[in-house]
Amino acid sequence: MSSAGADDGGGGQPAGVGPRRILSLDGGGILAVFSIEILGRIEAQLREHYGRPDLVLADHFHLIAGTSSGAIIGALLSWGHPVARIRELYRTGAQKMFRKTPLWQFYLAKYRHDALTKVLKELFAEDDGSAALLGTKKLRTLLAVVMRNASTGSAWPVTNNPRAKYNQRLDEQGEPYPRCNLDLPLWQLVRASTAAPWYFPPEIIRLPPHEFTFLDGGITAYNNPALIAALTATLPAYRIEWPTGPERLQLVSIGTGATRTRLSRTLNFMVKRLTVAMSVPGGLIESITQQQDMLCRVLGECVFGDSLDREVGDLRPSGLLAPQEKKFRYVRYNKTFTAAEVDAASRQSGPFQLDNLRLMDLLRAAGEKYAQENVRLEHVM
C-alpha cells in the first residue's frame, strides 16, 4: 500500500493499481465519538491484515472527506494520526472545544470561538509552529472539507487537489491568480466547517479583495459528504477524474448515529410554536443525510448498510443502475438509535444534542458495540 500524497492530485498508487478508496465522515458535534470507534475498528483490522501495527488510515484511503466534526477527524486522519490519538484528543479536549461564552456575550453564540480556534491551530501547525495551509505536505491524502459560504449562499466543498480550479496560482492567461485556496490556513477551513449556528460564531475568511462569512457545512446538503466526495473524485469539473466502477472506486461512509428527530404526541400538543420550530433544523439535517445515503446506494453497489426505511429496505443488491453501470462500491456504517434508546440515554446523560459532553461514554460504548458487530475487513478492501 502507499499513501495518497496530496501533491499528485489522484492518490499515491500508480494508475491501474488497485481501487481508489474514499472515506466520508458525517458531521454531528460530540456525537462523532460514535464514529471514532468505527474508525478504530477499521484501522485495527487493516493493521492485522497487513501485519503493520503502525498503519494509519491515511495509508489505506486516498481521499478523506468530512463535514463539521467530520472535518476535524478527517483532517487529523489525513495528517497521519492514528485513531487512538484522535480518540484521546476528543476525550481530553472536548471541554476545551466547548467552552461557554460569558453571559454578556451569550447572544453571539453558546460557545467561545477562540477556545476551539486555539485547539485547531495547535493541531494543524507546521514543524516550525507556523499555520499549516491547505496545500501543506503534512496531509498524506486528498482532503475535502465542506462548509457553507453564507456571503454567497453556496456550499463550499474545498479540497487540496492542486489541479482544482481555485487551487491555481495562475489564471488561464498566465497572470497571477489572487485567491489560491491552497494558501488558506487549514485550521481556519476546519473551523469554518464547524461553525454551527447558535453553537459557534461564523468564521470570517479573507480572500483579497473580498471577505466571506462561513458557517457549518452541516447546513448544506452535505452533512453526509459521501456523494459530494464521490462526485469530487470523478466529475471532470473537479479535475481528479478517477475511473468509476465497483472494482475501481470504493466509498466508505460513516455516520454519527441517527435519532430520528421527533415530537411526542403530548409534546406536540403542548409546546409553543417556537419550540416546534427549533426541532426543524435537526430534522432537516437528518433527512438530507439519509437522502445522500440513499443516492449513494442508488448510484453505487451497496455491499453494507442498514435499512433506509420499511419500503425500500437497504437497496442491496438492487438499485437504479445495472451492475455494469454502477459507479462505485459503497459501504454505509451508521446506527439509528431507537426511541427507547434515546429516552434511556436522555434519562442517564441528558438530551441527544451535539454539544452534550455527558453522552461521550454512552456514544463510545455504542460505537464500539456497533463496530464489533458490523465492521468487516472485506467491506474496506
Side-chain angles (χ1 to χ4, degrees):
M1 289 185 302
S2 59
S3 60
D7 58 345
D8 66 10
Q13 294 178 323
V17 178
R20 303 295 189 188
R21 303 186 186 97
I22 302 172
L23 177 63
S24 170
L25 304 170
D26 289 14
I30 206 62
L31 304 182
V33 168
F34 172 83
S35 60
I36 290 173
E37 296 307 312
I38 297 172
L39 292 166
R41 178 70 172 169
I42 295 172
E43 183 187 73
Q45 291 187 340
L46 289 171
R47 286 178 172 183
E48 181 179 0
H49 177 75
Y50 287 104
R52 289 184 50 192
D54 61 342
L55 179 145
V56 293
L57 294 182
D59 295 324
H60 187 72
F61 291 96
H62 302 86
L63 166 61
I64 301 177
T67 300
S68 195
S69 55
I72 297 177
I73 296 171
L76 290 169
L77 291 174
S78 181
W79 196 271
H81 284 293
V83 176
R85 168 66 172 151
I86 299 172
R87 183 188 292 116
E88 182 64 15
L89 283 169
Y90 266 74
R91 188 185 71 81
T92 61
Q95 295 288 349
K96 296 178 183 178
M97 290 188 282
F98 288 93
R99 289 183 59 190
K100 289 190 176 182
T101 56
L103 288 176
W104 60 88
Q105 293 182 334
F106 206 63
Y107 69 95
L108 296 173
K110 188 175 182 180
Y111 298 103
R112 295 172 52 169
H113 74 91
D114 57 332
L116 177 58
T117 294
K118 184 174 185 295
V119 171
L120 295 177
K121 283 184 174 180
E122 291 171 352
L123 290 173
F124 302 116
E126 300 288 358
D127 292 338
D128 62 2
S130 62
L133 307 180
L134 179 61
T136 179
K137 299 296 184 180
K138 292 280 189 179
L139 294 174
R140 296 169 56 177
T141 73
L142 290 171
L143 174 69
V145 174
V146 180
M147 64 202 84
R148 176 178 172 79
N149 188 331
S151 299
T152 63
S154 57
W156 269 39
V158 176
T159 76
N160 60 336
N161 170 25
R163 300 174 191 158
K165 179 176 181 179
Y166 294 107
N167 288 354
Q168 306 305 306
R169 291 189 169 85
L170 297 177
D171 63 20
E172 294 177 355
Q173 286 72 44
E175 297 296 325
Y177 192 72
R179 301 183 307 179
C180 178
N181 286 344
L182 293 178
D183 295 331
L184 294 173
L186 179 58
W187 73 262
Q188 194 171 34
L189 296 172
V190 174
R191 157 76 178 98
S193 185
T194 64
W198 161 242
Y199 292 101
F200 290 101
E203 180 67 21
I204 307 300
I205 296 181
R206 292 172 178 83
L207 292 166
H210 303 290
E211 181 177 280
F212 298 101
T213 299
F214 285 88
L215 298 175
D216 193 303
I219 56 174
T220 69
Y222 312 125
N223 187 64
N224 171 356
L227 181 59
I228 190 61
L231 295 176
T232 296
T234 57
L235 282 180
Y238 291 114
R239 303 181 182 180
I240 296 177
E241 298 186 73
W242 286 345
T244 60
E247 301 304 317
R248 299 184 184 92
L249 185 63
Q250 297 178 359
L251 173 58
V252 177
S253 174
I254 302 178
T256 59
T259 58
R260 299 288 170 88
T261 299
R262 71 197 194 287
L263 292 175
S264 69
R265 188 174 301 175
T266 302
L267 189 60
N268 190 45
F269 176 76
M270 296 178 63
V271 296
K272 297 179 181 179
R273 292 179 183 176
L274 179 60
T275 307
V276 175
M278 289 173 64
S279 71
V280 171
L284 286 174
I285 290 173
E286 287 179 12
S287 298
I288 295 172
T289 293
Q290 185 179 17
Q291 181 71 0
Q292 295 292 299
D293 180 16
M294 184 175 184
L295 289 172
C296 286
R297 300 185 197 214
V298 167
L299 295 174
E301 178 187 275
C302 181
V303 298
F304 183 83
D306 290 344
S307 176
L308 291 165
D309 61 41
R310 282 182 254 180
E311 184 170 12
V312 302
D314 59 17
L315 292 180
R316 287 186 288 162
S318 61
L320 181 64
L321 304 179
Q324 68 273 16
E325 296 176 313
K326 293 182 184 295
K327 305 305 179 186
F328 45 79
R329 189 168 178 262
Y330 179 66
V331 171
R332 174 64 172 175
Y333 291 131
N334 201 25
K335 169 182 170 62
T336 298
F337 290 89
T338 66
E341 288 174 321
V342 172
D343 291 340
S346 298
R347 288 193 297 270
Q348 176 183 339
S349 305
F352 249 82
Q353 294 177 349
L354 62 83
D355 63 333
N356 183 3
L357 304 188
R358 291 177 294 168
L359 289 171
M360 290 179 67
D361 288 342
L362 182 149
L363 291 165
R364 188 175 297 112
E368 185 176 4
K369 182 175 185 293
Y370 178 91
Q372 289 285 344
E373 294 175 349
N374 296 286
V375 174
R376 297 289 179 268
L377 179 65
E378 58 266 25
H379 292 167
V380 299
M381 295 298 295

